[in-house]
Amino acid sequence: MLVLFSSDHKRHNPKFEYYNGAKIPYAERPERIEKIVEACREMGLELKDLKGIRTNKFTDKIEVLHSKQYIEYLKQTSGQVKNKDHIIPSVFIKDTHTPLTESTYSVALESAELAVEAARRLKLNNSQSIYVLCRPPGHHAEEESMAGYCYFNNIALAANDLSIDGKVAILDIDFHHGNGTQKMFYRRDDVLYVSLHADPKAAFPYQSGFSDELGEAKGAGFNYNIPLPVDTTPKLYLKALNNAIDRINEYKPKYLLISLGFDTFVDDPIGGLGLTEKTYFKIGQILNEHLKYPTLIVQEGGYNIDKLGELAKNFVTGFENRYPS
Ligand code: SP5
Ligand code: ZN
């Protein structure tokens, strides 16, 4: 498995977010990706730092899924953050967890470009799986809104590119429902969206992720949500995962994209289903065994800094069919 990242992600480093009226330390920290990079290095995986990959033409490409006004607003507003830590935008935003710093726009662009570059490499070399360590994450970003630490929808941009070549399935196993990804493909039948996540009655993003959201128009039947109670055990989680896998195999995609979040871990400070360290090994193993497609794994959430390395190692070990250490 090839692992791609960009060490430029560190420049996006807001200090605070706002929750229930309180100013709290920002959870989507640079250390998250640093821990996963370190774990991949220790495993001896092929690791490439694509720092500086950004090209000027890339904004044109983003316009296929995000509006011009939104992109321009992010650019302008990021540019206005001088002599202060961050700005919380007042438009094009759905929560108070998605601050803009001076470098946020360019780092978010680079994160999206990294995902698209990973998709290009997947297409070239059909057999090898790629793990792309995007930061900031993307699956909450919609056509015209940022939310949940996300600005541009990395996985959706990658999926849209690959869909030119054949059907694409997205499996989203972050703790949170990927409202942005769902919305972008809701009326399309060439990209299937399947998501396992905490019940939105009890968890962010609250407004979407319910099981009766099945897609619309041509996309009817190509959106599949599996909401889970927050106390879901590993056993029940894996059962739901098998259910998601059956839907994907029925669809027979040419490519599989996975939104991977480690915030399903029981001790995650933001999310937390009942999954243990070992569960990630099993998830990797099951995905490898039952989904035989060229696969792009895109990093989304996961906030337990001390555990992220171990969880990523377990997932990759299972996915690569290695022996657990
Ligand atoms: C990509 C991703 O995982 N985004 C998650 C966004 C979750 N936003 C909700 C943040 C709630 C903050 N809760 C703070 C709890 C402090 N104990
Ligand atoms: Zn999440």
Side-chain angles (χ1 to χ4, degrees):
M1 171 147 84
L2 168 66
V3 183
L4 300 176
F5 72 108
S6 161
S7 50
D8 273 339
H9 76 82
K10 294 175 201 162
R11 295 193 295 115
H12 171 61
N13 191 10
K15 299 287 182 268
F16 300 103
E17 61 187 285
Y18 301 83
Y19 187 67
N20 276 349
K23 190 172 179 178
I24 59 172
Y26 193 61
E28 200 285 282
R29 309 190 48 73
E31 289 85 344
R32 300 178 50 245
I33 294 302
E34 286 168 23
K35 292 286 183 190
I36 300 176
V37 167
E38 194 181 298
C40 292
R41 193 168 282 132
E42 282 168 17
M43 291 186 81
L45 299 176
E46 185 185 357
L47 196 62
K48 284 207 171 90
D49 182 354
L50 299 185
K51 180 177 158 63
I53 184 187
R54 255 199 71 194
T55 51
N56 288 332
K57 287 207 199 89
F58 190 62
T59 38
D60 300 349
K61 197 138 204 181
I62 289 201
E63 281 174 21
V64 297
L65 296 179
H66 292 285
S67 79
K68 253 194 162 82
Q69 295 90 313
Y70 174 65
I71 300 168
E72 194 54 30
Y73 178 79
L74 274 177
K75 184 178 177 182
Q76 296 292 338
T77 315
S78 251
Q80 286 162 11
V81 189
K82 295 245 160 50
N83 308 319
K84 40 179 170 275
D85 182 60
H86 62 270
I87 286 175
I88 302 282
S90 51
V91 291
F92 297 118
I93 187 164
K94 294 177 75 172
D95 61 24
T96 50
H97 318 302
T98 316
L100 285 176
T101 70
E102 198 172 350
S103 29
T104 298
Y105 171 73
S106 73
V107 177
L109 261 185
E110 187 160 329
S111 184
E113 188 152 11
L114 193 63
V116 168
E117 169 63 15
R120 191 186 70 81
R121 290 181 189 228
L122 188 77
K123 214 188 282 190
L124 284 178
N125 181 359
N126 240 294
S127 56
Q128 193 189 27
S129 300
I130 301 180
Y131 184 11
V132 60
L133 305 180
C134 290
R135 182 176 176 276
H139 73 155
H140 297 304
E142 300 185 359
E143 181 188 3
E144 286 202 314
S145 61
M146 57 197 113
Y149 315 136
C150 303
Y151 305 87
F152 297 122
N153 198 317
N154 310 317
I155 197 166
L157 288 159
N160 189 62
D161 261 23
L162 288 167
S163 72
I164 295 163
D165 226 42
K167 291 193 290 184
V168 175
I170 300 175
L171 173 63
D172 190 327
I173 55 172
D174 185 272
F175 172 87
H176 305 95
H177 177 245
N179 55 290
T181 316
Q182 164 169 307
K183 225 176 203 173
M184 283 167 171
F185 301 114
Y186 208 59
R187 300 171 72 84
R188 286 170 58 168
D189 62 359
D190 59 338
V191 179
L192 170 73
Y193 180 70
V194 179
S195 180
L196 253 66
H197 48 263
D199 191 335
K201 279 207 289 285
F204 185 88
Y206 306 107
Q207 292 158 316
S208 69
F210 299 97
S211 56
D212 61 355
E213 295 159 13
L214 299 168
E216 268 169 18
K218 241 175 40 184
F222 298 94
N223 193 83
Y224 186 33
N225 285 326
I226 309 178
L228 301 163
V230 280
D231 60 356
T232 295
T233 59
K235 197 173 161 199
L236 281 173
Y237 188 87
L238 297 178
K239 201 173 155 208
L241 185 65
N242 277 308
N243 182 354
I245 286 171
D246 288 346
R247 178 66 189 98
I248 292 169
N249 282 328
E250 187 192 332
Y251 184 68
K252 297 188 181 64
K254 176 153 186 191
Y255 298 104
L256 172 67
L257 276 65
I258 300 175
S259 264
L260 175 61
F262 295 116
D263 40 6
T264 44
F265 180 60
V266 63
D267 281 328
D268 188 273
I270 301 276
L273 296 176
L275 307 197
T276 68
E277 292 87 339
K278 245 173 52 190
T279 317
Y280 292 90
F281 172 75
K282 291 191 187 142
I283 292 171
Q285 215 178 23
I286 290 170
L287 296 179
N288 170 64
E289 191 180 345
H290 297 288
L291 293 171
K292 305 278 185 201
Y293 311 99
T295 302
L296 179 61
I297 300 162
V298 181
Q299 191 65 49
E300 302 283 357
Y303 306 96
N304 186 329
I305 306 276
D306 295 334
K307 280 288 182 177
L308 281 175
E310 182 184 353
L311 303 182
K313 259 186 195 170
N314 289 357
F315 177 86
V316 171
T317 303
F319 192 81
E320 293 219 306
N321 210 10
R322 302 186 185 198
Y323 288 105
S325 54

